[in-house]
Amino acid sequence: MRLIRAVGNWLDQRLQLGAPIAETMQHPIPRETASWFYVFGSAAMTALAIQLVTGILLALIYVPSAGEAWNSLQVLNHQVTLGWFIRALHGWGSNFMVAIVLIHMVQVFLFGAYKFPRELTWILGIFLLLMTLGMAFTGQVLRFDQDAYWGLGIGASICSRVPLVGPALVKLMLGGPIIAGATLSRFFAFHVFVIPGLLSGFVGLHLLLVLKLGINEWPMPGRLVRRSDYMEKYRELTHTEGVPFVPYGIWKDAIFSGVILLAIAACALYFGPFGPSGQPDPRIIQTVPRLDFFFLWLYALLSLLPPAMETPVLIIGPVIALVGLLALPFFSGEGEKSWRRRPIAVLTILLSAVTLGACRR
Amino acid sequence: MATRTRVWIYAGVRRIRYRSFGQHSGRGVGCRRNSRLVPAGPARRIARIGTRLSPVARERKQGYESWISLGSVDQFPPGQTRLASYRNPVANASDGETADIPCWVRNVDGNRFQVFAINCAHLGCPVRWFPQSRLFMCPCHGGVYYEDGARASGPPERGLFEYSFKVLDGNLQIQAGEMPTPGLSAANKTLIQIERRPPCA
């Protein structure tokens, strides 16, 4: 014990990290914020951690080659000890991560947490959502089976409809004239290096902002946000009746993250890994390509739209949605935070949920 | 300087409009003459940047298409539509089976052929031929095409993509090498645009 303390002291004398870490842990949060509604951010990070660990384990076996990827997945499923379980954890972890990130976003939206001064935190969050979806799509491609092959065809067909740069986008995406080895290598690089690197950096910034600006207080109907006096009021709220994050806030985060971890493991054990379905041989045309569940709504939308509406909706729709989300804190940065006094916000969420749910069938 | 820039931008915008070029002259038996769509001006410049970034494209500056044999014409009996496949002319050893591209061959009357890309003109899913109804159908969103490739119903905005073909020494050859996509794409320059049919009375 004395030895551990001696080593700790030796390290801290040089790194000088002990004091800032203790300060971060003890940072005051509003008393009502130590709530079960504020656990989704940390749960998303837990899911990310699971993805990182299982992803590294999978990369030890996986062969990112169009000719070999499918075979290496078979090896993982059937020959490597617990390979199937690691694949299942990674697959279910990705589903959980997308779901948790979306729930986190809905909670932040309904609790008005994107308002002054947390606009940048929200914007970084939007990019984190995009990267999470990017990881989900590139990951689905790495499971190089029939669905992945024809899913790439669908992606290329959508890209090709972008005016002017469509053909260039298709080549950039496929890395050549057809879906082949270069395509898989490209998606591997994005899934394993590019997006995780950006994602880690953005998560760091997102978290830094949460610490610097403080966690959102519990929204009270009638307590309006004003740029002129918000910082002062928040300071008062945290310093007079606030509680330290450790232990008042963290235990709920820890328990919920644990539940998520167990839920992912339970799904992985019970349902097993996703695929791979048939070999990625384009000559096998007796196939019904199907995207993973978080892209199914888009897939359904594409069958319901009239032909002439498709390209405009596909190209302009996401741009409008993205600009709307990014602009949100700037045109509604002040005022009421509580969802009880924001009927349009509640209706927006309900309408989106019903639409996405209906398109899943 | 400002005026020059504006003039250049204006010229650029004018040139963005897609120009129509005459199709290559008919090769072999029954080849169609048709117009093709090639992006002009800035669009082509952007497309060229994309080509430079592509490891495969760098090696083949002349374009991806070349004439490939689908085998003897005897495999394709008159009046029937059959699945054929070819090894993509641009392929690496590591591409595995992904470079084996299927296509539908229709022998119209013994002399005239039609070779369709497997990809639906909607989102690229593999269309299947149903001889009973003499229709191509797509499993993804229900796109349907007539036996001559013309659009019948469903979400596709156009007919199936068709390859140029020729018959050489009893072998059916097609000009292929690139996956066709529905956008107004330079990628489709050797593919024949199938006219839309008027709806059935």
Side-chain angles (χ1 to χ4, degrees), chain A residues 63-82:
Chain A
V63 183
S65 148
E68 293 300 324
W70 193 84
N71 294 329
S72 69
L73 293 180
Q74 295 299 332
V75 169
L76 269 165
N77 270 3
H78 301 295
Q79 290 173 29
V80 176
T81 312
L82 285 181

Side-chain angles (χ1 to χ4, degrees), chain B residues 90-155:
Chain B
V90 184
N92 293 322
S94 64
D95 289 340
E97 292 151 334
T98 54
D100 295 323
I101 310 292
C103 58
W104 289 108
V105 179
R106 175 188 182 217
N107 186 338
V108 184
D109 55 9
N111 291 318
R112 288 182 301 136
F113 288 88
Q114 280 189 295
V115 186
F116 304 112
I118 196 76
N119 306 92
C120 180
H122 180 222
L123 289 175
C125 291
V127 293
R128 292 183 217 168
W129 168 245
F130 291 83
Q132 302 88 344
S133 50
R134 310 200 69 75
L135 293 169
F136 292 100
M137 290 192 240
C138 178
C140 285
H141 296 114
V144 184
Y145 308 86
Y146 296 111
E147 59 182 332
D148 66 351
R151 175 187 178 271
S153 82

Side-chain angles (χ1 to χ4, degrees), chain A residues 134 136 139 170 204 217 252 284:
Chain A
V170 173
E217 78 280 6
K252 284 178 178 158
I284 306 169

Side-chain angles (χ1 to χ4, degrees), chain A:
Chain A
M1 203 60 199
R2 273 172 68 188
L3 182 70
I4 294 172
R5 184 162 297 169
V7 171
N9 284 339
W10 187 89
L11 281 173
D12 197 49
Q13 208 172 5
R14 279 141 193 90
L15 291 168
Q16 299 182 14
L17 283 175
I21 288 174
E23 196 186 332
T24 305
M25 277 167 31
Q26 295 296 319
H27 80 275
I29 56 171
R31 188 173 287 275
E32 302 90 350
T33 295
S35 142
W36 288 109
F37 278 103
Y38 284 75
V39 295
F40 298 110
S42 59
M45 265 178 59
T46 306
L48 176 64
I50 295 172
Q51 294 307 91
L52 283 175
V53 173
T54 53
I56 290 169
L57 291 177
L58 290 177
L60 299 178
I61 311 283
Y62 183 76
V63 183
S65 148
E68 293 300 324
W70 193 84
N71 294 329
S72 69
L73 293 180
Q74 295 299 332
V75 169
L76 269 165
N77 270 3
H78 301 295
Q79 290 173 29
V80 176
T81 312
L82 285 181
W84 67 272
F85 186 59
I86 302 294
R87 279 203 66 230
L89 281 178
H90 201 67
W92 281 102
S94 96
N95 280 356
F96 270 81
M97 189 168 156
V98 173
I100 293 170
V101 166
L102 285 176
I103 294 170
H104 180 47
M105 188 172 144
V106 168
Q107 187 267 326
V108 161
F109 177 69
L110 287 180
F111 280 51
Y114 60 86
K115 292 180 188 245
F116 178 83
R118 302 186 180 82
E119 300 96 331
L120 189 59
T121 324
W122 168 264
I123 289 169
L124 288 173
I126 299 297
F127 284 108
L128 285 171
L129 171 72
L130 292 180
M131 287 177 207
T132 307
L133 291 176
M135 286 302 278
F137 182 70
T138 51
Q140 185 194 312
V141 169
L142 295 196
R143 191 184 66 223
F144 207 55
D145 55 10
Q146 278 172 352
D147 286 351
Y149 181 90
W150 297 109
L152 279 168
I154 293 168
S157 299
I158 292 175
C159 283
S160 80
R161 296 175 183 220
V162 179
L164 306 179
V165 293
L169 272 181
V170 173
K171 289 212 179 78
L172 199 65
M173 177 183 163
L174 300 185
I178 55 168
I179 302 160
T183 319
L184 182 60
S185 302
R186 196 155 281 224
F187 274 79
F188 182 77
F190 267 90
H191 187 81
V192 174
F193 300 112
V194 181
I195 308 180
L198 287 171
L199 196 62
S200 309
F202 274 64
V203 166
L205 278 177
H206 195 71
L207 209 61
L208 184 75
L209 283 179
V210 172
L211 286 173
K212 289 266 177 207
L213 302 170
I215 191 83
N216 188 38
E217 78 280 6
W218 186 271
M220 300 289 251
R223 187 160 67 192
L224 303 183
V225 179
R226 273 188 297 268
R227 283 193 174 84
S228 51
D229 63 354
Y230 178 81
M231 297 302 252
E232 213 173 294
K233 278 185 174 170
Y234 183 79
R235 202 181 153 69
E236 204 175 297
L237 200 66
T238 47
H239 282 81
T240 54
E241 47 179 309
V243 289
F245 175 63
V246 178
Y248 289 92
I250 200 170
W251 69 271
K252 284 178 178 158
D253 284 297
I255 286 181
F256 189 70
S257 285
V259 168
I260 289 297
L261 196 75
L262 288 177
I264 293 173
C267 285
L269 268 176
Y270 187 74
F271 297 106
F274 292 95
S277 66
Q279 275 165 289
D281 184 341
R283 287 170 301 182
I284 306 169
I285 60 162
Q286 301 296 325
T287 171
V288 183
R290 197 176 154 86
L291 298 178
D292 276 359
F293 91 100
F294 24 77
F295 297 112
L296 267 187
W297 61 273
L298 179 70
Y299 201 55
L301 201 64
L302 286 169
S303 72
L304 294 172
L305 286 169
M309 284 292 292
E310 244 174 44
T311 305
V313 169
L314 273 179
I315 309 299
I316 302 167
V319 175
I320 291 177
L322 190 61
V323 169
L325 283 173
L326 289 175
L328 176 70
F330 297 106
F331 61 75
S332 131
E334 287 185 304
E336 192 67 62
K337 266 187 176 178
S338 172
W339 58 269
R340 290 169 196 274
R341 299 250 175 115
R342 288 164 59 221
I344 296 176
V346 177
L347 281 175
T348 309
I349 293 294
L350 286 177
L351 186 68
S352 315
V354 169
T355 312
L356 293 183
C359 280
R360 191 137 297 167
R361 293 272 150 208

Side-chain angles (χ1 to χ4, degrees), chain B residues 27-68:
Chain B
R27 298 185 189 87
V29 197
C31 243
R32 289 192 184 188
R33 268 169 174 273
N34 224 315
S35 65
R36 71 183 187 199
L37 296 160
V38 175
R44 192 176 339 179
R45 239 164 275 146
I46 295 165
R48 237 179 254 155
I49 296 171
T51 314
R52 298 236 167 88
L53 288 172
S54 156
V56 184
R58 271 201 303 272
E59 293 163 17
R60 291 204 165 225
K61 288 198 176 122
Q62 298 305 313
Y64 301 115
E65 290 83 10
S66 43
W67 287 97
I68 312 144

